[in-house]
Amino acid sequence: MVPAGNIDTGDDGNQKFTPDAEFSAQAHLKSQEDYETLYKRSIDDPEAFWSEVAADCHFFKKWDRVLQWNSPFAKWFVGAETNVSYNCLEHQINQGRGDHTAILWEGEPTNQDGSPKEVVQLSYKTLLAEVCKFANGLKKLGISRGDRVTLYMPMIPELAIAMLACARIGAPHSVIFGGFSAQAIADRLQDADSHYVITADGGWRRNKVVPLKSNVDEACGMTKLVKKVVVYKRCGNDIDWNDERDVWWDEVVKGMPDTCDAEHLDAEHMLFLLYTSGSTGKPKGILHTTAGYMVYTAYTAKLIFDLQPDDIYWCTADIGWITGHSYIVYGPLQNGVTTVMYEGAPNEPEWDRFWAICERYGVTKFYTAPTAIRAFMKQGPEWPAKHNLSKLKLLGSVGEPINPAAWHWYHEHIGQQRCPIVDTWWQTETGGVLITPLPGVTPTKPGSATRAFLGIDAAIVDKDGNALEPNENGLLVIRKPWPGMLRGIYGDEARFRKQYWSEIEGVYFTGDGARCDEDGYFWITGRVDDVIKVSGHRLGTAEIESSLVSHPKVAEAAVIGFPDEMTGEAIAAFVTIKGSDKPDSNLKDELRKHVATTLGAIARPKDVRFTDALPKTRSGKIMRRLLRELATKGRVEGDVTTLEDFTTIAQLHKE
Ligand code: WT7
């Protein structure tokens, strides 16, 4: 084992962990000089830089121009034709990786001795054949270029197969996280005007069957859009069947040829929509296109996880989130490595499931979320200690700031003080990682996502867009376009402009607060808008409020996020009730359940408080800041001069 001697305490008192020399020697990027030189070039001449990066990918037709930037609209690799599915499959096979394992999947159910009941390994060649069969099946169902296909599936290989099949024929996919409710599916189907759904009868989670098909049935009842539902048989649970609409996956692929030419798609062809929460109203369909996203995910995955041909790489996210799109499917497959997929919960059957998986397959690179690390911390180091984790070379973190205590635990008990940790900052909108250490290069400081990735011009500014001094808290913005950036919000240009490009003139506004220290390291402090991050999952206060007021007894609701040791943030709801009934704890539970059924379990408020009135300004705006103070500190201390009715605060104090 490499000694833990590479720890300095800088002048600032911050601990710094310098990359181990052995790791750096074998890495794609080996030194700070490598990074500084490339970074300078990437910012001074982005077109030349990205054109060289893109040379690793396969294009049917080369671009005429690297970037056309008509703020806020970017076109990357203008005029090129390519296909992401081809790049993940044939392009790998053509480089001699056909028999190499592409996807290594483990289902949740286990035998008595804890071993998995099902393991599937798909080589690049087999994966290509499966993708082609399904792509041909989709075409036969009448799906073609441009049709939005909704995927609501468990974490099984068929989800990746379905995505790659859609990408192959140019039908944009819209993956919906399996934990979302029927209403959430219906809203997304409607917004995307999507006529096709791919689902499964169920999926395994904590030894129970998640009734995916029945949620889809309910959603189909709410919109009249859906023409076909393809159903993969996973759990064999009872389901309803609509003969005209529903078709088994097995029937779809039956007799289909295992070859299907990848469509030659324009660089800016829509690759997928992914719905995420914003500060207002309903979720927005973040739109990503083909070539820029492809190049950006391939390159970031390669450098940040330092992917090498024999890596067994495991990202524990669900494919229903952007992390899974970019760093389970598209990024790793474009690097020809083995990407591990696991269907179920981290504590099924016991709290060492993740470490058992790492040991079983010799996982070399492991990427997870701070909320999971904190959950493991709570269970104690004896769980990872039962397993041989000596193959691990690198650890990653994503989704929310990682608190230094969790960082140190991860470093010591999982990485055994040997593995660099990459704390990667990014968003659904950014397509790939924008701020991160490079594992062979960047000395890390626990709690900081460190520096901007190549080509990323990140800065901290005030509300007027003025750059701030080191260590001043401000807003995180990106001043130049990058290939993986979102191209819009589906069907809502005005919202796209307002949300990201108007808040601060001329730059992309992330919605995050941060500071940058004297070494140019970014410290993300969290969202500055009405977005809450619960266990790294993104939720909008407005969505939860509208779910609450859809309950017949609720008059008004205000939702805030407050710090929580395990989940990062938790949800508190302040609610006023219609009529004169006295609310009680039954109603609290009923409301929590109501949110879980209308939105999904992750949106369930941890705390519900009843009040006669909500604190508002004279113009009628709810003063969430006061509610936040109340939820975090138990009292209101800040400025209340704009508050309309002081008695509401007194009343809230009594609650
Ligand atoms: C928001 C984006 C990126 C994929 C998963 C989340 C927060 C993300 C970090 C990090 C601090 C982070 C930000 C960001 N966030 N990664 N390493 N350190 N905060 O994607 O659901 O679009 O959420 O997650 O607040 O804005 P998302």
Side-chain angles (χ1 to χ4, degrees):
M1 202 213 274
V2 182
N6 45 358
I7 306 173
D8 312 328
T9 305
D11 294 341
D12 52 3
N14 273 324
Q15 260 190 357
K16 262 195 199 174
F17 291 76
T18 26
D20 177 69
E22 211 180 307
F23 188 100
S24 301
Q26 58 80 58
H28 292 295
L29 288 188
K30 300 178 183 3
S31 68
Q32 298 249 43
E33 295 75 68
D34 282 1
Y35 166 79
E36 301 295 350
T37 316
L38 271 177
Y39 184 79
K40 186 166 185 315
R41 181 163 155 69
S42 73
I43 297 295
D44 293 348
D45 193 353
E47 299 200 32
F49 176 79
W50 287 113
S51 150
E52 278 162 31
V53 170
D56 276 352
C57 297
H58 171 273
F59 287 84
F60 297 114
K61 175 172 174 276
K62 211 185 154 170
W63 52 91
D64 306 315
R65 219 179 135 178
V66 178
L67 169 66
Q68 184 184 311
W69 177 227
N70 184 5
S71 179
F73 299 104
K75 286 188 177 169
W76 282 91
F77 307 105
V78 186
E81 283 175 10
T82 185
N83 188 297
V84 190
S85 180
Y86 184 98
N87 271 271
C88 291
L89 300 165
E90 286 97 324
H91 188 48
Q92 304 308 318
I93 296 167
N94 294 343
Q95 291 172 70
R97 310 196 62 74
D99 295 320
H100 195 77
T101 303
I103 294 180
L104 202 174
W105 173 82
E106 184 171 303
E108 190 188 76
T110 47
N111 300 306
Q112 283 295 316
D113 64 356
S115 61
K117 285 198 172 142
E118 303 136 293
V119 174
V120 171
Q121 294 203 35
L122 298 172
S123 69
Y124 276 87
K125 270 189 202 153
T126 327
L127 181 59
L128 171 63
E130 294 301 318
V131 168
C132 288
K133 280 193 259 175
F134 195 59
N136 286 323
L138 292 179
K139 287 202 265 191
K140 197 163 170 215
L141 288 177
I143 300 174
S144 59
R145 228 185 239 219
D147 289 336
R148 277 85 50 219
V149 180
T150 298
L151 276 53
Y152 181 68
M153 296 183 78
M155 281 288 288
I156 54 176
E158 286 69 22
L159 172 50
I161 292 170
M163 291 164 80
L164 292 163
C166 286
R168 197 161 192 87
I169 64 173
H173 53 71
S174 165
V175 182
I176 302 179
F177 172 57
F180 280 130
S181 66
Q183 183 65 55
I185 305 169
D187 291 347
R188 287 157 175 76
L189 284 168
Q190 195 81 41
D191 188 85
D193 188 24
S194 169
H195 302 179
Y196 303 95
V197 177
I198 302 167
T199 189
D201 51 357
W204 287 106
R205 182 90 193 167
R206 290 210 172 80
N207 210 13
K208 287 205 185 79
V209 173
V210 183
L212 298 169
K213 169 69 162 61
S214 94
N215 289 343
V216 168
D217 290 342
E218 209 185 313
C220 289
M222 296 172 181
T223 88
K224 296 283 164 262
L225 289 170
V226 177
K227 293 188 200 148
K228 281 283 168 225
V229 176
V230 178
V231 186
Y232 184 80
K233 190 170 195 158
R234 165 71 189 126
C235 301
N237 48 309
D238 280 342
I239 53 173
D240 291 337
W241 198 259
N242 175 330
D243 280 331
E244 257 152 61
R245 189 195 67 195
D246 299 343
V247 46
W248 287 108
W249 175 294
D250 284 355
E251 295 296 321
V252 172
V253 295
K254 201 150 108 200
M256 286 296 151
D258 61 6
T259 57
C260 167
D261 284 343
E263 295 275 318
H264 294 200
L265 300 172
D266 184 82
E268 286 298 333
H269 184 78
M270 192 198 312
L271 176 63
F272 65 86
L273 293 175
L274 185 57
Y275 283 82
T276 189
S277 301
S279 45
T280 52
K282 57 182 173 102
K284 46 197 178 180
I286 302 300
L287 195 161
H288 284 286
T289 59
T290 296
Y293 176 85
M294 174 179 94
V295 169
Y296 198 71
T297 50
Y299 190 56
T300 47
K302 175 176 168 183
L303 293 194
I304 297 165
F305 305 115
D306 196 51
L307 293 182
Q308 307 284 348
D310 292 326
D311 269 325
I312 310 289
Y313 162 92
W314 183 22
C315 165
T316 71
D318 192 289
I319 290 180
W321 312 111
I322 190 73
T323 309
H325 282 59
S326 302
Y327 299 116
I328 295 177
V329 181
Y330 293 120
L333 291 179
Q334 284 191 82
N335 280 278
V337 300
T338 298
T339 183
V340 175
M341 265 178 91
Y342 167 57
E343 177 183 33
N347 57 346
E348 185 57 43
E350 298 264 27
W351 274 101
D352 63 344
R353 184 64 180 267
F354 278 15
W355 321 126
I357 293 175
C358 285
E359 178 173 17
R360 204 154 24 242
Y361 309 113
V363 169
T364 54
K365 311 277 164 80
F366 178 77
Y367 191 30
T368 197
T371 191
I373 299 166
R374 289 191 295 264
F376 294 132
M377 251 173 108
K378 195 172 162 199
Q379 301 305 318
E382 53 275 25
W383 293 103
K386 287 184 191 186
H387 296 277
N388 178 353
L389 301 177
S390 63
K391 293 277 172 61
L392 283 173
K393 286 197 187 115
L394 173 148
L395 304 175
S397 169
V398 60
E400 55 179 313
I402 176 165
N403 48 310
W407 196 103
H408 286 290
W409 191 91
Y410 198 26
H411 186 247
E412 186 175 335
H413 296 291
I414 309 303
Q416 299 169 338
Q417 304 187 331
R418 177 187 69 237
C419 303
I421 296 181
V422 290
D423 172 3
T424 61
W425 178 92
W426 57 299
Q427 308 179 300
T428 306
E429 292 85 344
T430 67
V433 174
L434 300 195
I435 300 178
T436 178
L438 293 169
V441 170
T442 321
T444 50
K445 303 183 192 181
S448 169
T450 79
R451 303 186 60 184
F453 187 74
L454 302 169
I456 302 304
D457 184 12
I460 306 294
V461 301
D462 65 14
K463 281 199 293 270
D464 303 317
N466 304 308
L468 295 179
E469 294 293 316
N471 293 315
E472 284 189 301
N473 279 311
L475 306 170
L476 176 64
V477 299
I478 313 296
R479 296 185 292 204
K480 276 193 167 62
W482 67 99
M485 69 195 281
L486 79 166
R487 300 300 196 267
I489 293 176
Y490 190 66
D492 200 344
E493 184 182 323
R495 192 171 175 194
F496 172 61
R497 287 181 183 275
K498 180 161 184 295
Q499 186 84 48
Y500 306 107
W501 304 95
S502 316
E503 204 83 16
I504 300 158
E505 191 60 33
V507 298
Y508 171 80
F509 175 50
T510 62
D512 276 11
R515 65 176 193 281
C516 188
D517 70 16
E518 51 293 327
D519 294 335
Y521 279 42
F522 289 90
W523 299 78
I524 313 293
T525 48
R527 302 288 307 193
V528 296
D529 53 8
D530 290 319
V531 166
I532 308 180
K533 294 233 90 192
V534 182
S535 299
H537 301 320
R538 183 163 159 183
L539 295 156
T541 52
E543 282 169 80
I544 305 167
E545 287 162 3
S546 69
S547 159
L548 285 164
V549 298
S550 75
H551 187 281
K553 290 199 180 134
V554 174
E556 251 191 328
V559 162
I560 54 151
F562 66 100
D564 181 275
E565 249 185 40
M566 288 309 286
T567 57
E569 278 192 290
I571 299 165
F574 293 81
V575 172
T576 64
I577 297 298
K578 285 180 191 158
S580 53
D581 281 3
K582 262 250 161 277
D584 56 15
S585 65
N586 286 341
L587 184 58
K588 271 189 194 184
D589 290 344
E590 194 178 315
L591 293 181
R592 296 175 67 238
K593 206 167 153 219
H594 177 76
V595 175
T597 16
T598 50
L599 291 176
I602 53 169
R604 188 200 314 259
K606 183 167 182 186
D607 192 9
V608 174
R609 299 200 197 183
F610 296 112
T611 167
D612 290 339
L614 292 168
K616 289 187 187 155
T617 62
R618 263 153 234 158
S619 59
K621 246 181 103 156
I622 294 171
M623 296 181 78
R624 286 201 178 70
R625 175 179 60 78
L626 301 186
L627 298 174
R628 221 170 278 132
E629 277 180 29
L630 203 63
T632 38
K633 300 187 192 144
R635 60 188 183 281
V636 174
E637 294 171 326
D639 180 17
V640 290
T641 47
T642 51
L643 184 68
E644 169 68 16
D645 178 3
F646 284 95
T647 57
T648 56
I649 283 296
Q651 201 261 341
L652 282 166
H653 274 182
K654 273 192 275 154
E655 250 288 309

